[in-house]
């Protein structure tokens, strides 16, 4: 296809079979100010003629120049066929792919404007349309390699390291985490555990851990108070009131609204005999007579006048009678007080429902009957829900017992009941539900005396199902508090080890208090512990900025051990200079920073196990065996 550069600099491709004269005509119509239709006489006419000549030359020269260069299919070069010269060029494969993609994208528009002939005169699909369709399918099919070329590059976001997530969660909660707890390096975590068992030396890290746990306790309390009072008794009472009101008022009200829609569709003056009710009443009396049961049926007595009415009752009368009978059906205590048979009253209620259906059909037709059946279906569903709620309430369940049931529904054990939890949520208002949520939080992480523990919180929170957490904490518009609970769980995972920091066991860890015994945990920390002393090291681990310098030095130390080289030695020395200044300042001897730096700038050999008699060596007491480094006097 010939390529012609327009007067405005753009290059346009024209069909191979388009005559040059037609191309010039099209260009002239597009740029009349450059190529006038009629050239005036004189010098101006000569200029216009010159422009037309140049335009004619463009349509002749450019295709020739284009054809002189042969573009490589894959390599980004082109070769001049006449001279053999090479020049940079876009590979032919990419040019073809770009043209193919552009055609696929513009095909619908070109078909709309008529540039792409879709059908011929006989209404058949043209070959050009078939080709364009196949090309579009190549680019748009998900299975096509071309679609993957055209697709946008997906950015893969790597998850943040666990330590970073913990630090960010702690910051949102207002908790100052010791660096030993947020570090992802096992060496720092293990040495932190070890140091807390050292008398005096481990005090800074222990205090920092205790402070962090106290702050976490405060954060949990703030979330609890954001929902409510945290009282279990108040939560149970609020749940009982909400469920009772919903069962006695809300559900009947919603059901009544559905039947009110039926009322508008029936004629009020049409009466219907209570044939089905009369039949059921007769069966009840016959059974009683056959069994020689003394006395009349109290259930039949309630409807006797209605079934004896010759012409029957209108729709409203049958509806009200069924409602009156339904009050007994819904209240077992009322049935018992009346002395009637529960089975007989329920049979009468069912018969009245059938007669009411006949009344609707007679007085309102098919439209009214359809509305009636929908109302019955809705009523059955709601009354089943009411029955489930009444089972949750129980007959003699205390407020605390009711709360315990709801709390268990949100769990993941055999007592979990997500359907029941949703029904309770639908019955209880926002404020009452928040009170329940607050009471649940108040129990998480605390013992019988109310003492908070990250371990206990994490265990309690982990036992709740995903649906339970959502229903309890994210259905009243307090998602910010729910997010804080997630943060509490994130931080508590690391606070498991803080409990060890704040409350060291003594026996297992105390065997590692000797400088040489640190090697059983982490070699770089062994060297540092033998030089700086446990108190200084513990203080550094309790401070995020200082602990970061320590972590960088430990990493460089490990690299120097695993891959000894000039580069790793230089890196260790640089990290040691930074850490040396920090250790000297922490020890209260800034002037000795250079001496400390020299002591930690190289890899040292430390025995993996403490020698006999050194397990309980006091801090600042020199290590005995030869080859193990003695702690300098300044520490």
């Amino acid at each position: 296809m010939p390529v012609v550069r327009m007067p405005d600099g753009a290059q346009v491709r024209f069909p191979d079979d388009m005559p040059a004269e037609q191309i010039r005509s099209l260009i002239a119509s597009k740029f009349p100010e450059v190529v006038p239709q009629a050239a005036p006489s004189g010098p101006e006419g000569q200029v216009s003629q010159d422009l037309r000549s140049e335009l004619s030359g463009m349509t002749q020269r450019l295709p020739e120049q284009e054809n002189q260069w042969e573009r490589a299919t894959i390599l980004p070069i082109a070769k001049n066929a006449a001279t053999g010269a090479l020049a940079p060029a876009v590979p032919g494969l990419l040019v073809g792919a770009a043209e193919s993609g552009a055609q696929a994208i513009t095909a619908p528009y070109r078909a709309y404007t008529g540039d792409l002939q879709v059908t011929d005169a006989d209404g058949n699909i043209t070959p050009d349309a078939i080709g364009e369709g196949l090309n579009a399918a190549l680019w748009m099919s998900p299975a096509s390699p071309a679609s993957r070329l055209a697709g946008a590059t997906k950015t893969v976001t790597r998850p943040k390291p666990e330590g970073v997530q913990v630090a960010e969660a702690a910051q949102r909660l207002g908790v100052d985490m010791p660096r030993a707890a947020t570090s992802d390096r096992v060496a720092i975590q293990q040495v932190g555990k070890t140091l807390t068992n050292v008398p005096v030396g481990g005090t800074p890290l222990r205090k920092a851990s205790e402070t962090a746990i106290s702050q976490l306790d405060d954060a949990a309390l703030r979330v609890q108070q954001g929902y409510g009072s945290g009282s279990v008794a108040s939560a149970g009472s609020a749940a009982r009131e909400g469920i009772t009101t919903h069962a006695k008022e809300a559900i009947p009200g919603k059901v009544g609204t559905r039947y009110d829609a039926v009322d508008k569709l029936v004629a009020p003056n049409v009466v219907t005999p209570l044939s089905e009710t009369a039949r059921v009443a007769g069966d009840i009396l016959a059974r009683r007579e056959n069994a020689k049961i003394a006395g009349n049926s109290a259930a039949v007595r309630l409807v006797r006048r209605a079934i004896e009415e010759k012409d029957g009752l209108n729709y409203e009368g049958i509806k009200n009678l069924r409602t009156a009978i339904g009050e007994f059906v819904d209240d077992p205590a009322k049935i018992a007080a009346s002395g009637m048979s529960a089975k007989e009253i329920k049979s009468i209620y069912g018969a009245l429902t059938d007669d009411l259906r006949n009344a609707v059909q007679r007085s309102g037709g098919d439209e009214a009957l359809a509305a009636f059946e929908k109302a019955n279906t809705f009523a059955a569903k709601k009354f089943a829900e009411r029955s489930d709620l009444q089972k949750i309430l129980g007959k003699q369940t205390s407020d605390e017992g009711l709360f315990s049931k709801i709390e268990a529904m949100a769990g993941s054990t055999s007592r979990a009941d997500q359907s029941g939890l949703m029904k309770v949520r639908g019955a209880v208002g926002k404020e009452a539900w928040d009170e329940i949520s607050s009471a649940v939080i108040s129990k998480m992480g605390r013992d019988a005396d109310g003492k908070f523990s990250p371990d206990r919180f994490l265990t309690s929170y982990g036992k709740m199902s995903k649906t339970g957490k959502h229903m309890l904490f994210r259905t009243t518009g307090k998602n910010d508090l729910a997010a804080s609970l997630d943060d509490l769980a994130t931080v508590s995972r690391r606070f498991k080890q803080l409990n060890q920091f704040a409350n060291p066991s003594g026996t297992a860890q105390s065997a590692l208090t000797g400088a040489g015994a640190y090697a059983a945990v982490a070699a770089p920390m062994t060297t540092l512990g033998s030089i700086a002393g446990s108190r200084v090291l513990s203080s550094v681990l309790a401070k995020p900025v200082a602990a970061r310098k320590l972590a960088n030095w430990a990493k460089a130390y490990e690299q120097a051990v695993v891959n000894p080289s000039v580069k790793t030695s230089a890196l260790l020395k640089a990290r040691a200079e930074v850490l040396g200044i920090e250790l000297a300042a922490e020890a209260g001897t800034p002037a000795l920073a250079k001496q400390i730096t020299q002591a930690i700038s190289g890899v040292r050999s430390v025995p993996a196990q403490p020698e006999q008699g050194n397990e309980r060596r006091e801090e600042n007491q020199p290590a005995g065996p030869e080859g193990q480094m003695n702690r300098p006097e300044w520490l």
Side-chain angles (χ1 to χ4, degrees):
M1 297 177 68
V3 180
V4 179
R5 187 182 301 277
M6 298 292 102
D8 62 353
Q11 290 191 3
V12 180
R13 292 180 180 272
F14 290 89
D16 293 329
D17 56 351
M18 181 176 286
E21 186 60 30
Q22 186 177 356
I23 295 176
R24 285 195 293 272
S25 176
L26 290 173
I27 297 174
S29 64
K30 181 68 176 177
F31 302 94
E33 70 279 8
V34 178
V35 187
Q37 297 297 326
S41 59
E44 293 180 356
Q46 182 63 40
V47 173
S48 297
Q49 181 64 35
D50 292 342
L51 286 172
R52 282 197 298 273
S53 299
E54 176 63 18
L55 193 60
S56 175
M58 288 190 329
T59 60
Q60 295 174 359
R61 291 195 306 272
L62 281 175
E64 295 175 356
Q65 294 173 359
E66 179 78 12
N67 293 334
Q68 288 179 352
W69 290 91
E70 298 177 356
R71 190 187 304 270
T73 302
I74 299 177
L75 298 177
I77 58 174
K79 180 180 179 181
N80 191 302
T83 64
L86 298 177
V90 178
L93 180 63
L94 294 182
V95 173
E99 292 178 353
S100 174
Q103 289 174 354
I105 295 172
T106 60
Y109 176 76
R110 288 185 286 114
Y112 175 77
T113 59
D115 292 341
L116 173 60
Q117 194 70 24
V118 180
T119 59
D120 57 19
D122 298 327
N124 299 318
I125 303 297
T126 63
D128 288 345
I130 294 174
E132 290 282 2
L134 291 174
N135 180 59
L138 174 67
W139 283 95
M140 298 177 185
S141 171
S144 170
S147 67
R148 291 192 287 271
L149 288 174
T153 302
K154 295 182 179 179
T155 302
V156 179
T157 304
R158 293 183 179 181
K160 295 179 180 179
E162 183 182 347
V164 174
Q165 296 180 39
V166 172
E168 291 179 350
Q171 184 178 17
R172 288 191 292 268
L173 294 172
V175 176
D176 299 322
M177 291 284 286
R179 177 62 180 177
T182 59
S183 174
D184 287 318
R185 298 189 62 79
V186 176
I188 291 181
Q189 295 178 18
Q190 294 291 347
V191 170
K193 294 178 183 180
T194 302
L195 284 174
T196 52
N197 292 275
V198 180
V200 182
T203 300
L205 184 56
R206 280 198 298 271
K207 287 185 176 179
S209 301
E210 292 167 355
T211 299
I213 292 174
S214 176
Q215 291 172 338
L216 190 63
D217 184 358
D218 293 340
L221 185 59
R222 286 195 299 271
V223 175
Q224 170 202 306
Q225 293 173 342
Y227 282 103
S229 68
S231 168
V232 170
S234 296
S237 175
R240 183 182 303 279
E241 182 179 352
I243 293 174
T244 301
T245 301
H246 184 76
K248 290 186 176 181
E249 299 178 10
I251 288 180
K254 292 178 180 179
V255 172
T257 301
R258 296 300 180 99
Y259 284 111
D260 289 343
V262 180
D263 296 349
K264 300 175 182 178
L265 299 174
V266 299
N269 58 346
V270 177
V271 294
T272 301
L274 276 68
S275 304
E276 186 63 20
T277 305
R279 184 189 68 78
V280 170
D283 290 345
I284 291 173
L285 294 176
R287 285 196 301 269
R288 293 177 69 91
E289 177 62 27
N290 183 61
K292 306 303 180 183
I293 300 175
N296 296 322
S297 170
V300 173
R301 187 168 59 249
L302 289 174
V303 297
R304 183 179 297 278
R305 289 185 58 195
I307 61 179
E308 291 177 348
E309 191 72 27
K310 182 179 179 181
D311 295 329
L313 304 177
N314 62 11
Y315 163 79
E316 187 70 19
I318 300 176
K319 175 185 173 183
N320 291 337
L321 178 59
R322 190 182 76 142
T323 299
I325 300 298
E327 292 177 356
F328 286 93
V329 174
D330 293 339
D331 191 348
K334 192 172 183 179
I335 294 177
S338 66
M340 68 177 65
S341 166
K343 183 178 180 180
E344 290 178 359
I345 195 66
K346 289 180 180 179
S347 296
I348 294 293
Y349 182 83
L352 282 170
T353 300
D354 291 338
D355 286 332
L356 184 61
R357 180 181 291 106
N358 294 332
V360 171
Q361 175 75 55
R362 293 183 61 176
S363 59
D366 293 339
E367 183 181 1
L369 181 61
F372 178 75
E373 296 295 359
K374 288 182 179 179
N376 282 343
T377 301
F378 180 79
K381 178 181 178 181
K382 286 299 178 181
F383 289 147
E385 176 186 327
R386 181 174 64 182
S387 177
D388 292 338
L389 290 172
Q390 289 172 341
K391 290 179 182 178
I392 294 172
L393 284 177
K395 295 181 178 179
Q396 296 179 344
T397 305
S398 64
D399 291 342
E400 291 81 357
L402 177 58
F403 168 79
S404 180
K405 284 185 179 181
I406 299 173
E407 182 184 29
M409 289 178 182
S412 55
T413 64
S414 59
R415 296 179 62 197
D417 183 2
Q418 296 181 4
S419 176
L421 184 66
M422 291 180 182
K423 290 175 182 176
V424 175
R425 176 64 189 95
V428 174
K430 177 180 177 298
E431 293 183 2
W433 192 254
D434 280 343
E435 194 65 29
I436 295 172
S437 302
S438 179
V440 171
I441 298 171
S442 71
K443 295 181 62 179
M444 289 194 298
R446 303 187 186 280
D447 58 16
D449 297 327
K451 184 178 180 181
F452 181 86
S453 164
D455 286 353
R456 282 190 291 268
F457 178 87
L458 191 59
T459 299
S460 299
Y461 195 67
K463 287 182 178 179
M464 297 181 66
S465 67
K466 184 177 181 180
T467 301
K469 292 174 184 176
H470 178 82
M471 292 299 299
L472 277 174
F473 308 125
R474 293 184 179 272
T475 58
T476 61
K478 296 186 177 181
N479 290 347
D480 55 334
L481 295 177
S484 294
L485 286 175
D486 291 337
D487 284 342
L488 281 164
T490 298
V491 176
S492 290
R493 291 188 185 95
R494 281 297 175 93
F495 265 81
K496 278 190 172 183
Q497 66 191 43
L498 282 190
N499 270 336
Q500 296 174 333
F501 294 167
N503 302 287
S505 60
T507 304
Q509 297 286 345
S510 63
L512 297 176
T513 57
Y518 281 117
V521 181
M525 294 303 175
T526 303
T527 298
L528 190 62
S530 65
I531 294 172
S534 60
R535 185 193 62 78
V536 173
L537 188 56
S538 174
S539 181
V540 168
L541 285 172
K543 299 177 180 179
V545 175
R548 193 174 299 114
K549 298 175 183 178
L550 173 59
N552 292 336
W553 174 85
K555 183 177 180 180
Y557 190 102
E558 291 176 358
Q559 290 176 348
V561 172
V562 175
N563 185 25
S565 65
V566 175
K567 181 179 179 180
T568 56
S569 297
L571 178 61
L572 175 59
K573 183 177 181 181
R575 300 297 192 195
E577 290 179 357
V578 175
L579 182 59
I581 296 174
E582 186 69 34
L583 292 175
E586 192 64 40
T589 55
L592 298 177
K594 183 176 181 180
Q595 188 175 354
I596 298 176
T597 299
Q598 290 176 349
I600 63 174
S601 293
V603 176
R604 298 183 180 276
S605 175
V606 183
Q609 298 294 337
E611 298 293 338
Q612 267 190 334
N614 281 341
E615 291 88 340
R616 300 280 182 174
R617 188 179 63 250
E618 295 294 333
E619 185 181 17
N620 298 332
Q621 181 179 339
E626 183 178 357
Q628 183 172 332
M629 186 175 183
N630 290 334
R631 186 177 291 105
E633 294 180 357
W634 65 81
L635 295 178

